[in-house]
Amino acid sequence: METEFDDETLVAFLDGELAAEQAQQIEASLSQQPTLRERLTKLRQTWDLLDELPIILPSQQFAASTMEMIALTPEETPATWLGWLSKNSSLLILLSVPTLFLVGFAAAKYGQSRIDRHLLRDLPLLVDWKSLSNIDSVEWLEVLSEEPYLTETMPPKPTSLVGGGEVPAAMSERRQWLAQLSDVDRSRMSSNRNELQQRDLERQTQLREIVGHIYANPEKTAVYLAAIRSYELLLQDQSLTLRASLNDMSPAQRERELLHLVSWRLAVNYGRRLSIQDTAAIVAWAEEMQKQYINWIGAFSDATVSVYRDLLFSGPDSVINENDFNNLVERLSPSAQAILDGLNDGEARTNALIVWIGSLAGPSESDAETPDTEKLKQLYMALPSTKKDAIDLLPPDEAQRKIRALSNAPTQIKG
């Protein structure tokens, strides 16, 4: 059954003037009542437009004509109330100046009050601006919150958020929270607000609806916030091209790409802590590969080193083929197989297996022995995400020259 709210109550909700209990009731109803969301959106649009109206002060012409009337001589003044004005012009002047000042001050104060209320209303959006700007619908928010390994692979970092990201629910508490922010956080808040205001009204409304959905259910708020913050960190590691293409994918394609990105991160993380069962399976498999392909992959005392070097140096031309890798997958634990199943193609699964084999083989003996293409790959992966974004937009030959140039500037490379 839908709960009815009159316009006065909804306006008070937008103004942040409702009691916490009643505000929570409206927020909860918003997630269940489309008609209520539509009404609130229209009221908010009207509310926003009011803030754009200029403050009307008395015109200079009005002030001049009034002073002219006051300055009339008794002979020129009709025997009416203007006569009184003429006789008491000094008194009227003294009274009019503070009155006009108070009118202007009150109007400015009212305008500032409206701005303050807007700021307090949008506080959750401004604090998580970087994360929320990646979310284009409540449906995508739900997908992210239901991905079980997203926050595990990319733990969010509250220290990177404005004020630690813990925004109070009550407006009165938000004022105090805002007053305690550092100068750095205030600057970041101001920057985020400018970015929000540059979006069109439809996008602003959409973002506020998403934030409303996040905070409508306090029991799930922490889950939503962790998901969007982890997603932002995950996107930072991706190329600009991929991030742009995500928005053009169908919901099913984008969900599949999310699973792939999370699974790849899981695979890399798992390579650092392989289970005893999977370690034994990889070592035994590598020994079999070494015996089978002894004439091609060498005879190092450690079979995993022999196999890894061949895979690293030979690449697609390695004698170890798809059937060999499938044989390895069948020996791995169910948890390892589940990680591989999340990757969206055979090449990605092979690369994940190579990462795991490499974690047991250790680093290569000399960077000088690494093929140029592999070295370029390693240098590229070590670059900050901003550098990767710039390189992704270059033609292949120019991109390689750029990576080589950056390799001669160690201060620009993380690693």
Side-chain angles (χ1 to χ4, degrees):
M1 179 178 178
E2 294 191 357
T3 306
E4 292 293 333
F5 300 98
D6 56 32
D7 285 353
E8 185 178 353
T9 301
L10 293 179
V11 170
F13 171 74
L14 290 173
D15 246 353
E17 296 175 350
L18 286 183
E21 182 177 349
Q22 194 171 7
Q24 290 174 2
Q25 184 181 6
I26 292 179
E27 289 171 351
S29 299
L30 284 173
S31 62
Q32 302 172 359
Q33 300 182 24
T35 54
L36 179 61
R37 288 199 300 270
E38 184 178 353
R39 283 180 59 206
L40 195 66
T41 297
K42 290 180 180 178
L43 285 172
R44 180 182 284 125
Q45 290 172 348
T46 303
W47 192 52
D48 289 343
L49 288 173
L50 287 174
D51 283 333
E52 301 299 325
L53 295 177
I55 297 173
I56 306 300
L57 294 176
S59 68
Q60 292 181 349
Q61 183 180 3
F62 172 81
S65 61
T66 302
M67 298 307 293
E68 287 172 1
M69 285 192 299
I70 293 173
L72 290 174
T73 61
E75 292 77 16
E76 297 169 323
T77 306
T80 62
W81 60 274
L82 290 177
W84 183 89
L85 288 177
S86 175
K87 294 178 182 179
N88 298 278
S89 59
S90 298
L91 176 62
L92 186 58
I93 292 172
L94 289 174
L95 291 174
S96 64
V97 170
T99 300
L100 290 174
F101 171 78
L102 289 174
V103 169
F105 176 79
K109 188 72 174 176
Y110 172 78
Q112 184 61 43
S113 174
R114 299 285 289 183
I115 293 173
D116 288 345
R117 285 198 292 271
H118 269 205
L119 177 60
L120 294 175
R121 178 200 64 186
D122 286 337
L123 215 51
L125 175 54
L126 300 177
V127 166
D128 272 292
W129 170 252
K130 297 297 182 186
S131 301
L132 284 163
S133 59
N134 300 312
I135 314 301
D136 58 4
S137 67
V138 170
E139 290 74 22
W140 184 237
L141 172 68
E142 290 293 344
V143 169
L144 294 176
S145 68
E146 292 169 4
E147 170 48 57
Y149 296 110
L150 176 58
T151 54
E152 178 184 326
T153 56
M154 303 297 296
K157 303 172 183 177
T159 53
S160 65
L161 299 165
V162 176
E166 298 293 335
V167 182
M171 291 294 174
S172 58
E173 294 178 3
R174 288 184 184 181
R175 290 184 186 277
Q176 184 178 2
W177 183 88
L178 195 59
Q180 295 173 350
L181 288 181
S182 66
D183 290 341
V184 173
D185 278 342
R186 288 176 185 274
S187 176
R188 290 162 64 192
M189 180 82 76
S190 176
S191 176
N192 292 348
R193 192 177 189 191
N194 288 337
E195 288 191 40
L196 171 63
Q197 291 174 340
Q198 290 172 9
R199 301 298 191 270
D200 58 49
L201 184 58
E202 182 179 357
R203 177 59 173 152
Q204 290 185 37
T205 301
Q206 183 185 60
L207 285 167
R208 289 182 179 116
E209 287 179 352
I210 292 170
V211 170
H213 186 80
I214 290 174
Y215 285 87
N217 183 358
E219 294 180 357
K220 203 173 179 182
T221 296
V223 175
Y224 287 135
L225 292 178
I228 64 171
R229 292 166 183 175
S230 293
Y231 184 55
E232 165 64 15
L233 294 176
L234 184 66
L235 291 180
Q236 287 177 10
D237 284 348
Q238 313 308 319
S239 69
L240 185 63
T241 304
L242 175 60
R243 294 208 298 270
S245 66
L246 283 170
N247 294 328
D248 297 328
M249 293 180 182
S250 67
Q253 289 174 324
R254 184 158 53 160
E255 190 169 352
R256 177 60 182 163
E257 187 62 30
L258 172 67
L259 177 60
H260 168 72
L261 295 176
V262 171
S263 296
W264 176 253
R265 180 62 61 177
L266 277 173
V268 172
N269 291 347
Y270 186 60
R272 303 188 185 107
R273 47 179 177 80
L274 287 168
S275 68
I276 296 175
Q277 176 185 344
D278 290 328
T279 298
I282 292 173
V283 169
W285 175 84
E287 290 173 349
E288 291 178 12
M289 293 299 99
Q290 185 183 46
K291 292 177 182 178
Q292 183 175 344
Y293 301 115
I294 187 66
N295 295 329
W296 288 274
I297 66 176
F300 286 91
S301 57
D302 189 334
T304 55
V305 173
S306 295
V307 171
Y308 182 63
R309 285 173 61 86
D310 178 72
L311 293 170
L312 191 63
F313 295 142
S314 302
D317 297 326
S318 171
V319 293
I320 299 174
N321 55 50
E322 184 178 354
N323 290 333
D324 295 325
F325 281 117
N326 289 338
N327 179 267
L328 171 58
V329 172
E330 292 173 359
R331 304 182 185 193
L332 297 175
S333 65
S335 58
Q337 291 179 4
I339 292 174
L340 297 174
D341 287 342
L343 299 171
N344 60 13
D345 57 54
E347 182 181 357
R349 286 189 283 274
T350 298
N351 289 337
L353 290 170
I354 293 174
V355 168
W356 296 351
I357 296 167
S359 69
L360 298 179
S364 58
E365 294 181 357
S366 170
D367 287 340
E369 297 178 5
T370 305
D372 186 53
T373 53
E374 185 60 27
K375 180 178 287 187
L376 287 174
K377 214 180 275 187
Q378 292 175 359
L379 290 170
Y380 172 82
M381 293 306 297
L383 292 173
S385 59
T386 52
K387 300 289 185 184
K388 290 180 186 176
D389 291 343
I391 289 172
D392 287 339
L393 299 175
L394 299 175
D397 291 342
E398 190 176 345
Q400 291 181 14
R401 286 195 295 272
K402 183 68 172 177
I403 295 172
R404 289 191 184 95
L406 290 172
S407 70
N408 294 322
T411 56
Q412 297 184 42
I413 299 176
K414 296 190 299 183

